[in-house]
Amino acid sequence: MPDLLMLVGRRNLPKRDKLTVIYGKVLVNSFCLLDDRLTPIGTSVYLAASVIDHSCAANAFVSFLGNKLVVRSLVDWPDLDWTRVRISYLDAMNTREQRQTYLQRQYYFTCDCRLCRDDSHDLTMSTVPCGSPTCDAPVFIDETADGGVGPCEACGFKNFPDDLRQNYCRAAAFTRKRLDDLNEEDPDLEVWKEVIEVQEGVLHPLNVLRAKALDALLTATVNMRGWHTSLGLATLNHQAIRHYYGAKHPTYGLFLLKLVKIELNNLAFRTALDHLKDAEEILEAGLGSNHPLVYHELNFLLVQASEETRVEIQRSLMYGSHSHAATRTRS
């Protein structure tokens, strides 16, 4: 109230009880306002859109064109039924407990969506790699339990190190502490290198803490223009991002767009073009062809990748693959 008093003056300031009601309505019905790159920039209230319910496995996505809120379906509807349209109020790449706690604290309800009923999906978030050299399955680890880990449900392997649970709990706690202090736009490169080192060999690639740490390190590395290292990190985390967001979700499309830029800087033109076509399909469906991210940035990258691929093919035909490889090495 002191802040509002300075901003609007005493004459325009509502009574305390009325202000509490207004605050409550904004808290429960507001949207996170996004810029053209889907970066949060503020809070907004849209009365019509506020009636749309939540699902952690959303079938629709909210974006903005200026100050206009747009809801686009992520699935095909034989007949549009607004009572079945669901958007996500949170980041789905969190454990069920974290999602439930946030929704109860912020919106006062308990989610019972498909994802929240999927025990297997939730267990995958807390996993270690199978110890068998022929199996890459995730093995659930309960941080609150005692005793050994396993066996692996995929192959039956059970000879896990005696100190694996202890090492896992230490790596998980260290990661969570760093995530609490994470600057998403500008992560500290050295901090996240250390986190990944602590996790190495202990957390499975689909472990949600591993996925978040790799994403933070990738952002920090891209910010420093470490393109070669970035390509390795993006490749390592590709499966996890797709797993948690889904193959048609705009967040996965944004990841592909980042991957394309990395690949272009590594002269991987053909792979970049393939990923760009996937990103185009996802982002056009989720954001619309008139969204600035699509008709400006994505189309520019599409032209660039197509032209670079055409030139690469021409060089291969003219000089042969050996000469072309030498040219790429020199450049």
Side-chain angles (χ1 to χ4, degrees), residues 96 99 113-124 243:
R96 176 169 53 198
R99 299 196 309 270
C113 72
R114 171 182 61 80
L115 207 61
C116 286
R117 296 194 305 270
D118 189 341
D119 292 337
S120 175
H121 180 85
D122 196 58
L123 293 178
T124 301
H243 172 80

Side-chain angles (χ1 to χ4, degrees), residues 269 273 304-315:
F269 303 126
L273 186 59
Q304 181 185 357
S306 299
E307 180 61 19
E308 294 284 9
T309 302
R310 183 186 66 80
V311 171
E312 183 180 45
I313 293 172
Q314 285 182 338
R315 285 175 177 169

